[in-house]
PDB file of all heavy atoms in Angstrom:
ATOM      1  N   HIS A 563      78.146  93.540 110.848  1.00  0.00           N
ATOM      2  CA  HIS A 563      78.374  92.247 111.490  1.00  0.00           C
ATOM      3  C   HIS A 563      79.788  91.746 111.230  1.00  0.00           C
ATOM      4  O   HIS A 563      80.504  91.352 112.171  1.00  0.00           O
ATOM      5  CB  HIS A 563      77.364  91.219 110.965  1.00  0.00           C
ATOM      6  CG  HIS A 563      76.122  91.092 111.789  1.00  0.00           C
ATOM      7  ND1 HIS A 563      75.031  91.922 111.630  1.00  0.00           N
ATOM      8  CD2 HIS A 563      75.787  90.219 112.786  1.00  0.00           C
ATOM      9  CE1 HIS A 563      74.081  91.561 112.484  1.00  0.00           C
ATOM     10  NE2 HIS A 563      74.510  90.525 113.197  1.00  0.00           N
ATOM     11  N   ALA A 567      82.882  91.169 113.751  1.00  0.00           N
ATOM     12  CA  ALA A 567      83.500  89.844 113.880  1.00  0.00           C
ATOM     13  C   ALA A 567      85.013  89.960 113.732  1.00  0.00           C
ATOM     14  O   ALA A 567      85.776  89.318 114.467  1.00  0.00           O
ATOM     15  CB  ALA A 567      82.928  88.894 112.832  1.00  0.00           C
ATOM     16  N   ARG A 574      91.588  88.435 119.607  1.00  0.00           N
ATOM     17  CA  ARG A 574      92.091  87.100 119.928  1.00  0.00           C
ATOM     18  C   ARG A 574      93.503  86.899 119.372  1.00  0.00           C
ATOM     19  O   ARG A 574      94.376  86.338 120.048  1.00  0.00           O
ATOM     20  CB  ARG A 574      91.158  86.038 119.349  1.00  0.00           C
ATOM     21  CG  ARG A 574      89.820  85.895 120.040  1.00  0.00           C
ATOM     22  CD  ARG A 574      89.003  84.775 119.401  1.00  0.00           C
ATOM     23  NE  ARG A 574      87.685  84.635 120.001  1.00  0.00           N
ATOM     24  CZ  ARG A 574      86.765  83.778 119.572  1.00  0.00           C
ATOM     25  NH1 ARG A 574      87.033  82.975 118.541  1.00  0.00           N
ATOM     26  NH2 ARG A 574      85.585  83.715 120.160  1.00  0.00           N
ATOM     27  N   LEU A 586      82.434  90.792 121.997  1.00  0.00           N
ATOM     28  CA  LEU A 586      81.366  89.892 121.559  1.00  0.00           C
ATOM     29  C   LEU A 586      80.117  90.082 122.411  1.00  0.00           C
ATOM     30  O   LEU A 586      79.001  90.199 121.883  1.00  0.00           O
ATOM     31  CB  LEU A 586      81.863  88.450 121.632  1.00  0.00           C
ATOM     32  CG  LEU A 586      80.919  87.377 121.086  1.00  0.00           C
ATOM     33  CD1 LEU A 586      80.595  87.627 119.622  1.00  0.00           C
ATOM     34  CD2 LEU A 586      81.548  85.990 121.257  1.00  0.00           C
ATOM     35  N   ALA A 587      80.305  90.138 123.733  1.00  0.00           N
ATOM     36  CA  ALA A 587      79.152  90.288 124.625  1.00  0.00           C
ATOM     37  C   ALA A 587      78.442  91.616 124.407  1.00  0.00           C
ATOM     38  O   ALA A 587      77.203  91.678 124.337  1.00  0.00           O
ATOM     39  CB  ALA A 587      79.606  90.156 126.077  1.00  0.00           C
ATOM     40  N   ASN A 589      78.375  93.559 121.724  1.00  0.00           N
ATOM     41  CA  ASN A 589      77.708  93.656 120.433  1.00  0.00           C
ATOM     42  C   ASN A 589      76.484  92.766 120.327  1.00  0.00           C
ATOM     43  O   ASN A 589      75.523  93.107 119.636  1.00  0.00           O
ATOM     44  CB  ASN A 589      78.696  93.336 119.306  1.00  0.00           C
ATOM     45  CG  ASN A 589      79.605  94.501 118.982  1.00  0.00           C
ATOM     46  OD1 ASN A 589      79.148  95.561 118.566  1.00  0.00           O
ATOM     47  ND2 ASN A 589      80.893  94.328 119.185  1.00  0.00           N
ATOM     48  N   VAL A 590      76.487  91.649 121.025  1.00  0.00           N
ATOM     49  CA  VAL A 590      75.329  90.752 120.978  1.00  0.00           C
ATOM     50  C   VAL A 590      74.261  91.202 121.972  1.00  0.00           C
ATOM     51  O   VAL A 590      73.086  91.338 121.622  1.00  0.00           O
ATOM     52  CB  VAL A 590      75.755  89.295 121.258  1.00  0.00           C
ATOM     53  CG1 VAL A 590      74.523  88.392 121.359  1.00  0.00           C
ATOM     54  CG2 VAL A 590      76.684  88.793 120.169  1.00  0.00           C
ATOM     55  N   PHE A 595      73.515  92.370 117.687  1.00  0.00           N
ATOM     56  CA  PHE A 595      74.083  91.744 116.497  1.00  0.00           C
ATOM     57  C   PHE A 595      73.945  90.225 116.654  1.00  0.00           C
ATOM     58  O   PHE A 595      74.870  89.515 117.009  1.00  0.00           O
ATOM     59  CB  PHE A 595      75.537  92.180 116.312  1.00  0.00           C
ATOM     60  CG  PHE A 595      75.659  93.566 115.750  1.00  0.00           C
ATOM     61  CD1 PHE A 595      75.704  94.668 116.595  1.00  0.00           C
ATOM     62  CD2 PHE A 595      75.691  93.778 114.379  1.00  0.00           C
ATOM     63  CE1 PHE A 595      75.790  95.962 116.078  1.00  0.00           C
ATOM     64  CE2 PHE A 595      75.778  95.060 113.851  1.00  0.00           C
ATOM     65  CZ  PHE A 595      75.823  96.153 114.698  1.00  0.00           C
ATOM     66  N   ARG A 596      72.746  89.770 116.343  1.00  0.00           N
ATOM     67  CA  ARG A 596      72.329  88.406 116.647  1.00  0.00           C
ATOM     68  C   ARG A 596      73.177  87.355 115.936  1.00  0.00           C
ATOM     69  O   ARG A 596      73.389  86.251 116.455  1.00  0.00           O
ATOM     70  CB  ARG A 596      70.858  88.238 116.264  1.00  0.00           C
ATOM     71  CG  ARG A 596      70.317  86.831 116.500  1.00  0.00           C
ATOM     72  CD  ARG A 596      68.864  86.708 116.132  1.00  0.00           C
ATOM     73  NE  ARG A 596      68.015  87.499 117.021  1.00  0.00           N
ATOM     74  CZ  ARG A 596      66.684  87.428 117.026  1.00  0.00           C
ATOM     75  NH1 ARG A 596      66.078  86.610 116.171  1.00  0.00           N
ATOM     76  NH2 ARG A 596      65.987  88.170 117.841  1.00  0.00           N
ATOM     77  N   TYR A 597      73.656  87.672 114.731  1.00  0.00           N
ATOM     78  CA  TYR A 597      74.370  86.665 113.948  1.00  0.00           C
ATOM     79  C   TYR A 597      75.870  86.646 114.230  1.00  0.00           C
ATOM     80  O   TYR A 597      76.607  85.847 113.645  1.00  0.00           O
ATOM     81  CB  TYR A 597      74.119  86.905 112.453  1.00  0.00           C
ATOM     82  CG  TYR A 597      72.650  86.867 112.104  1.00  0.00           C
ATOM     83  CD1 TYR A 597      71.951  88.032 111.817  1.00  0.00           C
ATOM     84  CD2 TYR A 597      71.947  85.662 112.116  1.00  0.00           C
ATOM     85  CE1 TYR A 597      70.596  88.011 111.527  1.00  0.00           C
ATOM     86  CE2 TYR A 597      70.594  85.615 111.831  1.00  0.00           C
ATOM     87  CZ  TYR A 597      69.920  86.799 111.538  1.00  0.00           C
ATOM     88  OH  TYR A 597      68.582  86.760 111.261  1.00  0.00           O
ATOM     89  N   LEU A 598      76.308  87.496 115.126  1.00  0.00           N
ATOM     90  CA  LEU A 598      77.748  87.625 115.367  1.00  0.00           C
ATOM     91  C   LEU A 598      78.381  86.348 115.927  1.00  0.00           C
ATOM     92  O   LEU A 598      79.455  85.940 115.462  1.00  0.00           O
ATOM     93  CB  LEU A 598      78.006  88.809 116.296  1.00  0.00           C
ATOM     94  CG  LEU A 598      79.444  89.328 116.361  1.00  0.00           C
ATOM     95  CD1 LEU A 598      79.956  89.716 114.992  1.00  0.00           C
ATOM     96  CD2 LEU A 598      79.522  90.527 117.309  1.00  0.00           C
ATOM     97  N   PRO A 599      77.776  85.664 116.914  1.00  0.00           N
ATOM     98  CA  PRO A 599      78.445  84.467 117.451  1.00  0.00           C
ATOM     99  C   PRO A 599      78.737  83.407 116.400  1.00  0.00           C
ATOM    100  O   PRO A 599      79.828  82.841 116.373  1.00  0.00           O
ATOM    101  CB  PRO A 599      77.454  83.962 118.516  1.00  0.00           C
ATOM    102  CG  PRO A 599      76.713  85.186 118.944  1.00  0.00           C
ATOM    103  CD  PRO A 599      76.564  86.000 117.687  1.00  0.00           C
ATOM    104  N   GLN A 600      77.780  83.131 115.515  1.00  0.00           N
ATOM    105  CA  GLN A 600      78.043  82.094 114.516  1.00  0.00           C
ATOM    106  C   GLN A 600      79.058  82.568 113.477  1.00  0.00           C
ATOM    107  O   GLN A 600      79.862  81.773 112.978  1.00  0.00           O
ATOM    108  CB  GLN A 600      76.755  81.636 113.838  1.00  0.00           C
ATOM    109  CG  GLN A 600      75.973  82.710 113.110  1.00  0.00           C
ATOM    110  CD  GLN A 600      74.656  82.176 112.566  1.00  0.00           C
ATOM    111  OE1 GLN A 600      74.623  81.406 111.611  1.00  0.00           O
ATOM    112  NE2 GLN A 600      73.558  82.584 113.186  1.00  0.00           N
ATOM    113  N   MET A 601      79.073  83.873 113.173  1.00  0.00           N
ATOM    114  CA  MET A 601      80.087  84.392 112.258  1.00  0.00           C
ATOM    115  C   MET A 601      81.486  84.253 112.856  1.00  0.00           C
ATOM    116  O   MET A 601      82.423  83.820 112.188  1.00  0.00           O
ATOM    117  CB  MET A 601      79.801  85.854 111.926  1.00  0.00           C
ATOM    118  CG  MET A 601      78.593  86.080 111.052  1.00  0.00           C
ATOM    119  SD  MET A 601      78.310  87.852 110.801  1.00  0.00           S
ATOM    120  CE  MET A 601      76.941  87.818 109.624  1.00  0.00           C
ATOM    121  N   VAL A 602      81.614  84.628 114.132  1.00  0.00           N
ATOM    122  CA  VAL A 602      82.916  84.519 114.801  1.00  0.00           C
ATOM    123  C   VAL A 602      83.361  83.062 114.843  1.00  0.00           C
ATOM    124  O   VAL A 602      84.532  82.736 114.557  1.00  0.00           O
ATOM    125  CB  VAL A 602      82.836  85.122 116.216  1.00  0.00           C
ATOM    126  CG1 VAL A 602      84.088  84.769 117.024  1.00  0.00           C
ATOM    127  CG2 VAL A 602      82.660  86.635 116.143  1.00  0.00           C
ATOM    128  N   GLU A 603      82.452  82.163 115.201  1.00  0.00           N
ATOM    129  CA  GLU A 603      82.789  80.744 115.289  1.00  0.00           C
ATOM    130  C   GLU A 603      83.272  80.209 113.937  1.00  0.00           C
ATOM    131  O   GLU A 603      84.296  79.504 113.853  1.00  0.00           O
ATOM    132  CB  GLU A 603      81.572  79.952 115.763  1.00  0.00           C
ATOM    133  CG  GLU A 603      81.801  78.455 115.842  1.00  0.00           C
ATOM    134  CD  GLU A 603      80.534  77.684 116.210  1.00  0.00           C
ATOM    135  OE1 GLU A 603      79.478  78.326 116.416  1.00  0.00           O
ATOM    136  OE2 GLU A 603      80.604  76.445 116.284  1.00  0.00           O
ATOM    137  N   GLN A 604      82.560  80.543 112.870  1.00  0.00           N
ATOM    138  CA  GLN A 604      82.914  80.006 111.559  1.00  0.00           C
ATOM    139  C   GLN A 604      84.186  80.650 111.003  1.00  0.00           C
ATOM    140  O   GLN A 604      84.990  79.980 110.339  1.00  0.00           O
ATOM    141  CB  GLN A 604      81.752  80.199 110.594  1.00  0.00           C
ATOM    142  CG  GLN A 604      80.551  79.334 110.955  1.00  0.00           C
ATOM    143  CD  GLN A 604      79.382  79.538 110.006  1.00  0.00           C
ATOM    144  OE1 GLN A 604      79.475  79.232 108.822  1.00  0.00           O
ATOM    145  NE2 GLN A 604      78.285  80.068 110.529  1.00  0.00           N
ATOM    146  N   LEU A 605      84.379  81.938 111.258  1.00  0.00           N
ATOM    147  CA  LEU A 605      85.618  82.580 110.806  1.00  0.00           C
ATOM    148  C   LEU A 605      86.813  82.064 111.594  1.00  0.00           C
ATOM    149  O   LEU A 605      87.910  81.926 111.028  1.00  0.00           O
ATOM    150  CB  LEU A 605      85.502  84.104 110.937  1.00  0.00           C
ATOM    151  CG  LEU A 605      84.640  84.790 109.889  1.00  0.00           C
ATOM    152  CD1 LEU A 605      84.405  86.248 110.252  1.00  0.00           C
ATOM    153  CD2 LEU A 605      85.269  84.694 108.494  1.00  0.00           C
ATOM    154  N   GLN A 606      86.634  81.768 112.882  1.00  0.00           N
ATOM    155  CA  GLN A 606      87.718  81.185 113.660  1.00  0.00           C
ATOM    156  C   GLN A 606      88.091  79.811 113.105  1.00  0.00           C
ATOM    157  O   GLN A 606      89.285  79.474 112.981  1.00  0.00           O
ATOM    158  CB  GLN A 606      87.312  81.068 115.127  1.00  0.00           C
ATOM    159  CG  GLN A 606      88.433  80.573 116.036  1.00  0.00           C
ATOM    160  CD  GLN A 606      89.512  81.616 116.244  1.00  0.00           C
ATOM    161  OE1 GLN A 606      89.277  82.660 116.845  1.00  0.00           O
ATOM    162  NE2 GLN A 606      90.715  81.344 115.735  1.00  0.00           N
ATOM    163  N   ARG A 630      72.041  81.056 110.159  1.00  0.00           N
ATOM    164  CA  ARG A 630      70.904  80.462 110.848  1.00  0.00           C
ATOM    165  C   ARG A 630      70.161  81.542 111.604  1.00  0.00           C
ATOM    166  O   ARG A 630      70.794  82.405 112.237  1.00  0.00           O
ATOM    167  CB  ARG A 630      71.382  79.393 111.830  1.00  0.00           C
ATOM    168  CG  ARG A 630      72.169  78.270 111.151  1.00  0.00           C
ATOM    169  CD  ARG A 630      72.538  77.193 112.152  1.00  0.00           C
ATOM    170  NE  ARG A 630      73.364  77.704 113.249  1.00  0.00           N
ATOM    171  CZ  ARG A 630      74.682  77.853 113.179  1.00  0.00           C
ATOM    172  NH1 ARG A 630      75.307  77.569 112.056  1.00  0.00           N
ATOM    173  NH2 ARG A 630      75.363  78.301 114.208  1.00  0.00           N
TER     174      ARG A 630
END
Side-chain angles (χ1 to χ4, degrees):
H563 267 85
R574 288 182 182 176
L586 186 59
N589 281 298
V590 174
F595 283 89
R596 178 179 293 189
Y597 302 106
L598 196 57
Q600 59 185 288
M601 290 177 175
V602 169
E603 178 185 359
Q604 292 179 64
L605 285 170
Q606 185 72 66
R630 301 184 300 277

